[in-house]
Amino acid sequence: MNPLKQLSEHGQSPWYDMISRDMLRSGELARLVAEDGLKGVTSNPSIFEKAITKGAVYDPALREALAEGVRDPKELFERLAVPDIREAADVLRPVFDASGGADGFVSLEVSPTLAHDSAGTAAEAKRLFAAVGRPNVMIKIPATRAGLSAISETVGAGIPVNVTLIFSLERYMAVMNAYLAGLERRAAAGEPLAPIASVASFFVSRIDAAVDAKLPEDSPLRGRIAVANAKTAYKLFTQIFGGERYKALAAKGGRVQRPLWASTSTKNPAYRDVVYVEELIGPDTVNTIPPATWDAFRDHGSAVRTIDTEVEDARRTLEELGRRGVDLAAVTEALEAEGVKSFADSFAALLKHLAEKAERLLSAPDPAAAAARIWAKDASFWKDDAAHQAIIRNSLGWLDLPESMPARLPEVEAFLSEARAAGFGHVVVLGMGGSSLACEVFRAMREPVPGFPRLHVLDSTEPSAVLACERAAPPAETLYVVSSKSGSTVEPLRLMDYFYAKAGGDGARFCAITDPGSQLAADAAAKGFRKVFLNPADVGGRFSALSLFGLVPAALTGWDVHSMLSRAAAMAARCKEEDGNPGLELGRALAEHARAGRDKLVVLGAPDLEGFGLWLEQLVAESVGKEGKGVVPVAGEPAREAGSYAADKVFILLSRAGSVGAPEALAGALESAGRPVLRFELDAPEAVAAEFFRWEFATAVLGKELGVDPFDQPDVQAAKDMTKAALAELKERGRLEVPAPDAEEEAWSAAFSPAAKAATAGAASAEEALARFLALSRPGGYAAVLAYLPSDGRHADALAALRRALSEPSGISVQGGYGPRYLHSTGQLHKGGPDTGLYLVLAREGGPDAEIPGAGLSFGQLCGAQALGDFRALAAAGRRAVYLRLKGDPDSALLRLAAAAAFAARSPV
């Protein structure tokens, strides 16, 4: 059991003493809520100073404020801080609602410069509460003498208050009385007392640091005064809130003002690192825990009720301190003054930094500094409109993965040890698109590592593929990894249903990777999955290779994930430079080729590197194939003579160091023929991680150069909607309403989209209809063979024959995609990219099938609906498409189709 979650069993709420935009955008806060039971967040000027002055993550928002004419540093600060507080409050709102308004708060402090201005503090508290506009924001007011009346006034106004910088017992008494006075003021005015909440932040470890300095090295009182002081404070709390004054207010709905233990990191390394958490656990308390202490307590903390134990010893300890000549009252008074000054100094430093940065941005704006703007996560680098910028800002977490993911590796490695101990012989990834294609790279690149499970990737609803996976990886020997960013992707969820039933409902044979708060996360917990990994939410699927979606399956099957991240980090460092930046140079080179008419990106590589081509195909196609623009990536294209390729191509060669196989020979011949070839070499398998990052960065640059948002996928939903409609028809009529054939022969039939019907009407034969369809190819065009067939290679030769026939004699590129995989890859390009493609959607008649438990349909029906849905989506987008139904043996039908295509090429219409 997680010790942090166990705190709630003793009535204590763990809050997190840190906030930053990175932790919000990455989903880290949501993950801590889900996994650790986090119930609140505190901030202060020092925390914001560290968050805002470190790095460039706030630069885009700062530029935006400056563009609107904001110049005052304090106003600039609020333009940065208030959205963070608001966003954190939204993440915590479910906690707030579930607790009836007791927890789920985010604290925002009034300006430290007002610490001795009672009226100014109260006015500032009211203004900030209104500015954030969330019921679960708590305004922090310092417990100075001037702050006491501000506390009463703010509570009386119905605003939640976090009273901060409490060190002494005397001041704590005054704070509790000020809170009660605020409730009484509100009650006298006839205002409701519920659900106003308040906490009193009683500082702990700073007291030991100050008192220890006044004691001899061998004093038995060293390291004991802070806890004794806090336990005595808790006794006062029970007395005040057990008294008649509070009971009268409680009858009207008033809450207790909970003690919040603050400053709970251990300052002295000789003391236990979680002592100020473990010694102060009890009912009606909060502990706001800094990140390092939070991690330590999760790892080795003990959650036992301690707050009201040894209270008499605490009293005697404080008395003994006085007898030894240490005036605790003087110490706490000094600490209050130091605390106010420290926060004021941090706030002043923050405002100074903002003023200086604003001056730099205003005096020397450099819109050409592409790398700097990308790393600053400046959404305006790509698009000017607010809608796109909102998507972009929440999609740039991939930039941080080489540096942020090492912190997640202990979690991954602990799970790896557990999985290996369980004796799994196979790992099957159930996912689509970005959740599976990096895993396909890992699967294809090398043989299984001795002592580790064999990796399988199932990204298909085609029944034969599902059944083949079940045979290759028997459920009794398999760990299933259900991967879905959204947690609602239909294919992995239905595959999960199938294999969960096959595994006898044993959740210990499953883990999930998803975003915080997704339906998959909830379902996995309900099914008792062995582990749920929550990935950073600001990482898009196709940019997630270096996130948990790639790292968990890689680690489970023996990849050195430390080396992978180290290599990716080295590439990321190079991609921060304006000159000699490999990602920037590659993206700009691809854009220049595209502008010159070379907009087909043909990926060459040995069979064990073909997985990288599939991964790259999705990254490029889905990122830049929109708004009628795009680059067309082509993976696995059958090789041909160097001189026979059309002139619209750039070739990519990924090879292992020293490799001299057929792809390398073809690349050499292409270079000799004057064709552009971009070469990339791997000196070790783990070096592929650096290429992941290089290409992600390059693709982001390519999107900018083409004028598109590389982080959205506006046309993907169309096929999903059409699939849902087809399934609704199936449910209503008992069958899929496939289009009537416009042409038919013994092995296949064809139905054409409206954009192709006129040209194919009146053909004397199916072969002639196909020839007329193929004649619709436009200059600089391409074709795509989209086959709803098993992707395990059993039909690879016949599909290659068809692709080769389609490319003759013009040398056009022919994509090959297995359905429904390509829907999550090149599907966006097909509907949203340039209208230069011909699309052949191949659906099989008959064949084996498998029922999906609890779904009321089979995989064959789902796969058929997806093929039909995509054809309808292509037709609705005005694309030239044909729906081909293969009869009988798929290989025979494909070869007959290839022969017809070859005949069409020799006899052009």
Side-chain angles (χ1 to χ4, degrees):
M1 183 68 177
N2 186 332
L4 288 162
K5 285 192 169 183
Q6 287 180 309
L7 291 174
S8 63
E9 298 174 8
H10 302 288
Q12 185 168 88
S13 298
W15 290 10
Y16 200 62
D17 196 26
M18 169 55 77
I19 189 170
S20 71
R21 189 156 295 184
D22 278 340
M23 70 181 289
L24 293 167
R25 298 289 163 82
S26 69
E28 177 69 5
L29 179 60
R31 184 183 72 82
L32 293 173
V33 172
E35 293 188 355
D36 292 347
L38 180 150
K39 295 184 183 299
V41 168
T42 52
S43 71
N44 60 48
S46 298
I47 286 174
F48 269 117
E49 182 199 5
K50 293 172 185 174
I52 292 175
T53 61
K54 178 184 178 183
V57 70
Y58 288 89
D59 284 6
L62 186 56
R63 283 195 184 92
E64 185 177 321
L66 292 171
E68 294 174 13
V70 180
R71 296 294 183 271
D72 178 64
K74 184 179 177 184
E75 189 175 349
L76 288 173
F77 163 68
E78 289 188 16
R79 288 289 293 266
L80 304 182
V82 167
D84 283 3
I85 296 293
R86 191 179 291 134
E87 189 171 340
D90 291 343
V91 173
L92 286 164
R93 184 59 187 266
V95 177
F96 177 79
D97 293 339
S99 66
D103 273 312
F105 285 95
V106 185
S107 294
L108 176 62
E109 188 154 351
V110 298
S111 170
T113 61
L114 299 171
H116 302 295
D117 178 351
S118 180
T121 294
E124 179 90 336
K126 295 171 186 176
R127 186 184 66 80
L128 287 175
F129 185 73
V132 176
R134 298 293 188 273
N136 56 324
V137 65
M138 210 170 240
I139 303 301
K140 292 180 77 173
I141 296 176
T144 57
R145 290 181 178 86
L148 295 174
S149 59
I151 294 164
S152 298
E153 182 175 343
T154 306
V155 171
I159 295 172
V161 173
N162 177 344
V163 185
T164 188
L165 290 175
I166 306 172
F167 295 92
S168 72
L169 299 174
E170 292 76 16
R171 187 56 53 83
Y172 180 44
M173 283 291 293
V175 166
M176 289 189 284
N177 285 320
Y179 169 69
L180 293 176
L183 291 182
E184 289 166 341
R185 178 184 301 187
R186 192 164 176 80
E191 298 289 344
L193 303 189
I196 299 170
S198 180
V199 295
S201 295
F202 198 92
F203 281 53
V204 186
S205 67
R206 293 190 196 182
I207 289 180
D208 271 345
V211 170
D212 285 359
K214 298 179 180 297
L215 293 170
E217 287 288 335
D218 60 351
S219 172
L221 295 181
R222 288 173 65 89
R224 295 180 57 199
I225 302 305
V227 169
N229 198 42
K231 288 193 173 189
T232 305
Y234 185 77
K235 184 177 181 181
L236 293 176
F237 161 75
T238 61
Q239 291 170 353
I240 293 296
F241 288 97
E244 294 303 317
R245 183 183 181 189
Y246 170 69
K247 287 181 181 178
L249 293 166
K252 298 176 182 179
R255 298 180 187 272
V256 299
Q257 182 188 53
R258 290 184 295 173
L260 179 151
W261 312 125
S263 181
T264 54
S265 62
T266 303
K267 306 294 189 290
N268 189 331
Y271 301 159
R272 182 167 165 79
D273 58 356
V274 292
V275 61
Y276 300 115
V277 181
E278 290 180 333
E279 295 294 329
L280 301 173
I281 299 171
D284 290 320
T285 61
V286 177
N287 197 316
T288 187
I289 308 172
T293 308
W294 184 280
D295 292 341
F297 190 77
R298 184 204 297 116
D299 180 67
H300 52 264
S302 174
V304 178
R305 180 168 173 166
T306 52
I307 189 62
D308 46 10
T309 62
E310 301 177 348
V311 177
E312 280 304 304
D313 285 348
R315 180 185 61 79
R316 287 192 291 271
T317 297
L318 296 181
E319 291 174 351
E320 180 63 21
L321 180 69
R323 285 193 290 271
R324 297 195 180 213
V326 178
D327 185 350
L328 184 58
V331 170
T332 56
E333 186 175 353
L335 284 172
E336 178 186 302
E338 291 170 9
V340 171
K341 183 178 184 301
S342 174
F343 282 174
D345 288 347
S346 292
F347 192 60
L350 171 59
L351 297 185
K352 182 174 182 288
H353 170 85
L354 285 173
E356 292 171 349
K357 177 167 276 194
E359 185 177 353
R360 288 197 302 271
L361 292 176
L362 287 168
S363 62
D366 185 8
R373 293 183 67 187
I374 291 172
W375 283 100
K377 301 182 179 178
D378 180 358
S380 67
F381 178 70
W382 289 277
K383 288 287 187 179
D384 293 329
D385 64 284
H388 273 106
Q389 288 185 11
I391 295 171
I392 293 167
R393 278 193 291 269
N394 198 40
S395 303
L396 295 170
W398 57 274
L399 287 163
D400 306 317
L401 293 176
E403 292 187 5
S404 66
M405 279 295 109
R408 301 292 301 272
L409 291 186
E411 178 187 0
V412 174
E413 289 168 335
F415 182 68
L416 168 61
S417 297
E418 183 181 333
R420 293 186 72 185
F424 294 114
H426 304 271
V427 168
V428 174
V429 174
L430 308 176
M432 299 300 296
S435 300
S436 65
L437 287 172
C439 302
E440 182 63 23
V441 176
F442 304 142
R443 184 202 65 77
M445 275 191 70
R446 68 184 189 191
E447 292 297 313
V449 179
F452 288 85
R454 176 184 289 271
L455 179 61
H456 309 258
V457 181
L458 182 57
D459 56 357
S460 176
T461 56
E462 204 284 327
S464 297
V466 177
L467 295 171
C469 181
E470 183 181 349
R471 290 190 297 271
E477 304 169 14
T478 298
L479 173 67
Y480 295 96
V481 181
V482 186
S483 293
S484 170
K485 172 180 169 60
S486 68
S488 59
T489 310
V490 64
E491 296 93 343
L493 294 186
R494 298 294 76 81
L495 292 168
M496 175 187 73
D497 293 340
Y498 180 81
F499 286 105
Y500 187 75
K502 291 293 181 179
D506 183 3
R509 298 191 175 280
F510 288 78
C511 73
I513 310 172
T514 188
D515 276 6
S518 75
Q519 186 59 49
L520 174 57
D523 290 346
K527 292 178 181 293
F529 277 23
R530 185 179 287 270
K531 174 71 176 177
V532 179
F533 289 97
L534 298 179
N535 202 59
D538 60 349
V539 179
R542 57 186 174 274
F543 289 83
S544 67
L546 297 171
S547 76
L548 295 175
F549 284 106
L551 295 175
V552 171
L556 285 171
T557 51
W559 284 71
D560 183 347
V561 289
H562 288 276
S563 175
M564 289 171 60
L565 289 176
S566 176
R567 290 169 178 271
M571 178 61 73
R574 294 174 62 197
C575 287
K576 291 181 179 179
E577 304 298 328
E578 294 298 336
D579 297 320
N581 181 321
L584 192 60
E585 291 176 352
L586 175 58
R588 286 174 171 169
L590 295 175
E592 188 61 32
H593 281 299
R595 285 190 283 265
R598 294 181 291 274
D599 62 347
K600 311 303 185 301
L601 194 64
V602 179
V603 186
L604 309 176
D608 61 340
L609 295 174
E610 285 183 357
F612 186 84
L614 296 174
W615 174 83
L616 185 60
E617 200 171 43
Q618 187 213 10
L619 177 69
V620 174
E622 201 166 67
S623 295
V624 302
K626 59 198 68 167
E627 300 180 34
K629 307 171 185 177
V631 167
V632 179
V634 183
E637 186 168 58
R640 53 194 301 157
E641 292 296 323
S644 65
Y645 286 98
D648 60 352
K649 295 173 177 54
V650 178
F651 298 88
I652 304 299
L653 175 66
L654 181 70
S655 61
R656 297 178 187 268
S659 179
V660 290
E664 288 75 20
L666 176 57
L670 288 164
E671 288 170 327
S672 296
R675 310 303 294 278
V677 178
L678 306 179
R679 292 174 175 262
F680 305 89
E681 190 171 87
L682 305 178
D683 62 1
E686 284 75 16
V688 74
E691 294 307 319
F692 285 151
F693 193 90
R694 182 208 304 265
W695 279 94
E696 287 168 352
F697 200 94
T699 300
V701 173
L702 177 59
K704 160 66 175 176
E705 294 288 325
L706 296 182
V708 301
D709 175 357
F711 306 108
D712 69 350
Q713 44 280 335
D715 302 290
V716 167
Q717 190 61 39
K720 296 180 181 179
D721 292 342
M722 294 293 187
T723 296
K724 289 179 182 177
L727 290 173
E729 294 169 4
L730 171 66
K731 184 175 181 180
E732 178 183 347
R733 303 170 190 173
R735 67 183 187 281
L736 290 173
E737 295 294 328
V738 298
D742 296 307
E744 189 167 10
E745 68 109 71
E746 183 181 347
W748 52 270
S749 65
F752 298 100
S753 68
K757 270 192 185 295
T760 56
S765 66
E767 289 82 358
E768 182 184 343
L770 181 64
R772 292 185 180 188
F773 174 75
L774 297 178
L776 295 174
S777 178
R778 296 175 179 173
Y782 71 101
V785 174
L786 309 172
Y788 285 78
L789 294 169
S791 56
D792 56 10
R794 69 181 76 178
H795 302 301
D797 290 344
L799 285 167
L802 176 57
R803 292 177 70 180
R804 194 175 292 110
L806 290 169
S807 69
E808 300 291 352
S810 63
I812 67 167
S813 289
V814 182
Q815 285 183 333
Y818 287 104
R821 173 200 284 167
Y822 77 84
L823 295 176
H824 302 260
S825 175
T826 55
Q828 165 62 43
L829 170 76
H830 298 162
K831 267 82 75 176
D835 188 14
T836 56
L838 296 179
Y839 306 99
L840 292 79
V841 180
L842 278 57
R844 177 182 183 179
E845 287 186 356
D849 206 351
E851 291 295 318
I852 305 172
L857 78 159
S858 69
F859 279 113
Q861 291 169 324
L862 174 58
C863 186
Q866 291 178 302
L868 181 58
D870 192 49
F871 173 70
R872 291 177 176 176
L874 289 164
R879 303 307 196 191
R880 296 173 300 285
V882 58
Y883 181 75
L884 292 155
R885 288 180 63 81
L886 306 181
K887 305 175 184 179
D889 174 59
D891 275 357
S892 297
L894 288 169
L895 292 174
R896 290 282 292 270
L897 195 57
F903 174 79
R906 293 191 300 271
S907 308
V909 176

